[in-house]
Amino acid sequence: MVFLIAAAPVPGAAAEPVSTAARTAPDASGSPAASGTSGVPAGVAAAGNWTPPLSTRGRWIVDANGDRFKLRSGNWHGASGTWTGSGDPEADSNQHAGENSGRIPLGLDRAPMAEIIAGFLEIGINSVRLPFSNEMIRDSRPVTDRAVAANPSLRGRTPLEVYDAVVRELTAAGLAVILNNHTNTTRWCCGVDGNERWNTSQSTAAWEEDWLFMARRYRANPRVVGADLYNEVRRSVWDDPNWGLGDDRDWFAASQRVGDRILTEANPDLLIVVEGINWTGIPVDGLPHERPTLEPARRLSHTLVDSGKLVYSAHFYDYTGPNHTGATGTGETSDPRYRDLSPDELIAVLNRQAFFISGEQNQHFTAPLWISEFGVGGRAETGQKQRAWFENFVDQLIRTDADFAYWPLVGWHENRQGNGWALLHWDSAGRRMGLYDGDDWRAAAWTRLMRAEGRTGPVAPVADWSMLSPDRGDFVQSRRMRALPDWDSGARKAVCPDGQRLLGLARTGNRGLCSDVSATALWDPGRGHEVVSDERHVRPGADWASGYTKLQCGEGQFLIGYSVRGAAVSAALCATAPAGRLGTQGRTVWFDRGDNRGPDPKGGDFAYGRYKGQCADDEYAAGIAWTGRVGSSRTPDALYCRKLA
C-alpha cells in the first residue's frame, strides 16, 4: 500500500517577483515598521549576539553565558534531495515542485550564497536547520556547473564539500546551524520511500557511524550547535516504528544510543534533537492509525549521559492531523486535519502531542521543544482554513514562547509561478521575491511571531529530573561509571548521570528517577564508589525494614544506581560524598502496596502503571529493601531516605 505521510509542503501556486532593493518589515498589522536597512523587525537581536556552545536549563535553551537563546530558525533544504523518486533524477520535472536542488542547498544556482544568507538575516532568524542525507555524505560525484551557476567557486566540488561551504558561511554570519539527518537516500521526503526510518535503507551501525563522522567534521566550528537525529520516523509498507519495544524499529532506543555516542565519542557540545514518531498504522478508515508525535515521551523519556543537551522536536502542518497522514486520495482518511480543528481544539491537541514537553516543569520529560517544521503557502494561498490555521499556530508559538523553524526558507519563482511556501524566492535571472515585499499575507503573522515578547536574558540553573530505564539492557548514564569495569557482570545496570542522585524507584519494571534537586553535585570523585550486595552497612539496632533484605550504603554514601537480574534486585551502587554533606536521620518509604511519593512529588510518573517510592527533595536514598519470601520476585519494596545535611 502506498500512502503519503506529508512532511514538507505540497507545491504552492503563483508567486510574484519584486525588486531586490532593501526591504522594510511590516508591523503586526501589516504596516511598515521601523527597522534597519536589513529589514529585520524591530526588537530582534542580531543573529551573532550569542556565545556558543548551547545547552539547556529546564525548558529553555541557553548559551555559554546562561542567557536564553531562542531558536528562531528556518529550514534550508536541498542537500537531502528534491528528486521525487521516479524518472530522470536530474530532470526538473521530476523534482518536488519542479525545484531542482542539484543535491545541495536550494538556490545556489540562482543567487550568490552571501545574498541568500543576507536574506535569512533580513527576516530575523538566528539559526538554520540544514538537512542532509546519508547518501550525500558518500556521494563522490561533483555537483553540476548548473547547480552552482551563481556560485562558481563551488564548481567541481562534491555535495558534502558544498555542504561544508554552506555551514562555514552560515556560521561566519553569526547563525547557528543544526545538522539534520533528513533521509537515508538523496530524494524528497516523505512517504513510503525507503527513508521511513534511520535504518530502512542502511544499517543502524552505518547510521551511527555517519553521525559520528558529521559531529566530528564540524566540531571545530562552535556555531554548529545541534544534531537533529532523524526526520519524521514513520511506518514503512510492512511495519511501524515504536518507542521502547527494544527491537530494530525502536526509535527511543536508537536515538538514546546515538545521542550518547555523539556526546561521548564525537562532540560533547552539541544539542541532541530527538523528533517524535510521525506516523504509525495503516491510513484506512476502521484500522488503527495515528501521529504519535511526542506523546510516548510522557511515559518513557530520554536521559542522555550529559544533562542539559536534550531537545525534543515536532512538526505540524495544516493539511496533516493527529490521525490524518496529510494525503489526498490514496492514504486519505476521514479524520480531521489540523486545519479542521477549532482554535480551542487545536490548542488541546498540540498540547497533548508536543507542547507538554516544555509546558510542564520539573518532570522527567521536561526539555526545550523545537517546532522544527511548520509552514503554509504564501501569496497564492487563498484557503480560509489554511490561513486561519497558520494564524492560530503562530498564536500558539507566541503563547508558549516556543522555539521554531519555518519550512522552507528558499524556493523558486518564475513569471509569478512556483512553490509559494518559501519565505524567499529567486527566479532564473536571480531576481528575488521576499516575504517583506508587500504582497505576502504571511508577513504580518511572521513579524508578529518575530517581535513577540518572550523570555530573554539570564536563565537560572534549575533541577534536572531524569528517568532510568534499564528495560532491556544497561542504562548507565554516568560518564565516571562508563569508564570503569563492569561492576555487576551479567546484571542490567542503571546509573544516574554524574551530578544526580537516585530519588525514586519502581517496585516492578526496573525504572528509576534521578535528580540534583536541593543539592549541588554530591559525589566526591576522589572518594570513589561501592557496590553493595549484602547488609554489611546495616548497623545493629537500626533495622529500617525488619524482615527484609537491605542493601544499604555506608555512612557518607548515597545511592546513584542499582542493578537487576530479571525483575530481582541484584546490587546497589553507592557514591561517596564530601564530609558533612549528608545527614544521618532516616525514614523508610514503603511502596510494596501502592505509590508512596509524598504529597507533591516532582519528576512525574517515571514508571507508569507501577508502584513507586520516592524520597523527598531534601533527602537522598541510602538503601533498597526487598524480600525473597514465597510469592515475591525480589523486587524493590522500600527505600531508605535520609535528610541532606
Side-chain angles (χ1 to χ4, degrees), residues 212-375:
L212 296 180
F213 170 82
M214 292 294 278
R216 290 170 180 146
R217 189 174 186 86
Y218 304 108
R219 180 171 179 168
N221 188 336
R223 291 188 186 270
V224 176
V225 300
D228 184 345
L229 299 181
Y230 201 71
N231 183 72
E232 298 190 0
V233 174
R234 58 197 183 277
R235 180 183 174 84
S236 66
V237 172
W238 301 111
D239 48 42
D240 287 322
N242 66 78
W243 191 283
L245 295 185
D247 56 22
D248 65 354
R249 301 183 301 278
D250 184 345
W251 175 230
F252 169 81
S255 53
Q256 172 74 40
R257 174 179 162 84
V258 79
D260 277 345
R261 290 198 69 192
I262 289 169
L263 293 173
T264 57
E265 300 177 41
N267 188 345
D269 289 336
L270 292 179
L271 296 174
I272 302 299
V273 181
V274 180
E275 297 184 27
I277 292 179
N278 189 259
W279 188 263
T280 63
I282 299 175
V284 174
D285 285 340
L287 294 178
H289 54 266
E290 64 173 332
R291 189 180 306 279
T293 318
L294 289 168
E295 290 185 67
R298 184 177 287 280
R299 297 187 181 181
L300 178 59
S301 64
H302 294 72
T303 296
L304 296 175
V305 72
D306 293 330
S307 300
K309 289 298 180 183
L310 175 67
V311 174
Y312 279 120
S313 172
H315 297 174
F316 293 100
Y317 292 101
D318 72 272
Y319 56 87
T320 61
N323 299 92
H324 201 298
T325 64
T328 299
T330 303
E332 184 175 12
T333 63
S334 60
D335 303 291
R337 303 173 191 257
Y338 290 114
R339 68 186 179 218
D340 298 324
L341 304 177
S342 70
D344 287 345
E345 290 171 334
L346 179 63
I347 291 170
V349 168
L350 294 176
N351 288 342
R352 185 190 81 225
Q353 291 196 300
F355 284 83
F356 72 92
I357 290 288
S358 58
E360 297 180 29
Q361 306 307 301
N362 292 310
Q363 307 292 302
H364 62 82
F365 53 74
T366 300
L369 173 67
W370 186 36
I371 304 302
S372 56
E373 286 189 27
F374 76 105

Side-chain angles (χ1 to χ4, degrees), residues 16-341:
E16 314 219 4
V18 296
S19 164
T20 57
R23 280 77 169 173
T24 300
D27 64 17
S29 68
S31 302
S35 68
T37 57
S38 68
V40 177
V44 173
N49 190 23
W50 58 285
T51 305
L54 301 182
S55 57
T56 70
R57 290 182 177 176
R59 59 89 73 223
W60 309 105
I61 296 172
V62 298
D63 74 358
N65 297 322
D67 292 327
R68 197 268 174 102
F69 183 86
K70 182 174 182 175
L71 290 176
R72 301 190 309 269
S73 320
N75 286 269
W76 191 2
H77 76 297
S80 59
T82 51
W83 179 50
T84 57
S86 62
D88 181 0
E90 304 299 326
D92 291 353
S93 58
N94 298 325
Q95 315 296 315
H96 176 74
E99 297 177 336
N100 191 342
S101 72
R103 299 173 286 138
I104 57 178
L106 192 71
L108 296 177
D109 61 327
R110 300 183 169 215
M113 195 187 309
E115 180 181 331
I116 295 174
I117 294 173
F120 298 166
L121 298 174
E122 177 182 308
I123 61 175
I125 65 172
N126 61 12
S127 43
V128 171
R129 181 177 183 250
L130 196 62
F132 68 88
S133 74
N134 299 93
E135 182 183 2
M136 183 209 81
I137 296 173
R138 301 176 184 84
D139 192 343
S140 61
R141 297 171 298 156
V143 300
T144 64
D145 288 352
R146 177 198 173 195
V148 292
N151 294 270
S153 65
L154 299 178
R155 288 178 181 171
R157 301 194 189 186
T158 65
L160 180 57
E161 290 170 340
V162 173
Y163 193 93
D164 290 340
V166 169
V167 169
R168 182 175 62 249
E169 296 306 311
L170 286 169
T171 56
L175 292 159
V177 170
I178 298 92
L179 310 173
N180 165 233
N181 184 196
H182 211 69
T183 52
N184 295 180
T185 61
T186 306
R187 59 170 290 182
W188 184 254
C189 172
C190 298
V192 182
D193 57 3
N195 291 305
E196 298 88 349
R197 295 191 308 273
W198 63 99
N199 58 0
T200 305
S201 299
Q202 62 188 1
S203 69
T204 295
W207 175 67
E208 290 184 2
E209 290 305 313
D210 282 351
W211 257 122
L212 296 180
F213 170 82
M214 292 294 278
R216 290 170 180 146
R217 189 174 186 86
Y218 304 108
R219 180 171 179 168
N221 188 336
R223 291 188 186 270
V224 176
V225 300
D228 184 345
L229 299 181
Y230 201 71
N231 183 72
E232 298 190 0
V233 174
R234 58 197 183 277
R235 180 183 174 84
S236 66
V237 172
W238 301 111
D239 48 42
D240 287 322
N242 66 78
W243 191 283
L245 295 185
D247 56 22
D248 65 354
R249 301 183 301 278
D250 184 345
W251 175 230
F252 169 81
S255 53
Q256 172 74 40
R257 174 179 162 84
V258 79
D260 277 345
R261 290 198 69 192
I262 289 169
L263 293 173
T264 57
E265 300 177 41
N267 188 345
D269 289 336
L270 292 179
L271 296 174
I272 302 299
V273 181
V274 180
E275 297 184 27
I277 292 179
N278 189 259
W279 188 263
T280 63
I282 299 175
V284 174
D285 285 340
L287 294 178
H289 54 266
E290 64 173 332
R291 189 180 306 279
T293 318
L294 289 168
E295 290 185 67
R298 184 177 287 280
R299 297 187 181 181
L300 178 59
S301 64
H302 294 72
T303 296
L304 296 175
V305 72
D306 293 330
S307 300
K309 289 298 180 183
L310 175 67
V311 174
Y312 279 120
S313 172
H315 297 174
F316 293 100
Y317 292 101
D318 72 272
Y319 56 87
T320 61
N323 299 92
H324 201 298
T325 64
T328 299
T330 303
E332 184 175 12
T333 63
S334 60
D335 303 291
R337 303 173 191 257
Y338 290 114
R339 68 186 179 218
D340 298 324
L341 304 177

Side-chain angles (χ1 to χ4, degrees), residues 463-502:
D464 288 314
W465 295 88
S466 304
M467 173 188 286
L468 296 180
S469 52
D471 301 12
R472 293 173 177 83
D474 285 356
F475 203 80
V476 176
Q477 297 312 104
S478 162
R479 280 182 175 263
R480 293 177 190 167
M481 294 308 302
R482 285 187 175 204
L484 297 174
D486 190 336
W487 51 274
D488 192 359
S489 180
R492 301 196 316 280
K493 294 162 286 292
V495 186
C496 298
D498 293 333
Q500 297 185 34
R501 65 190 187 277
L502 188 70

Side-chain angles (χ1 to χ4, degrees), residues 606-618:
F606 60 93
Y608 185 82
R610 314 281 185 168
Y611 294 161
K612 295 168 288 293
Q614 185 170 331
C615 299
D617 292 357
D618 61 351

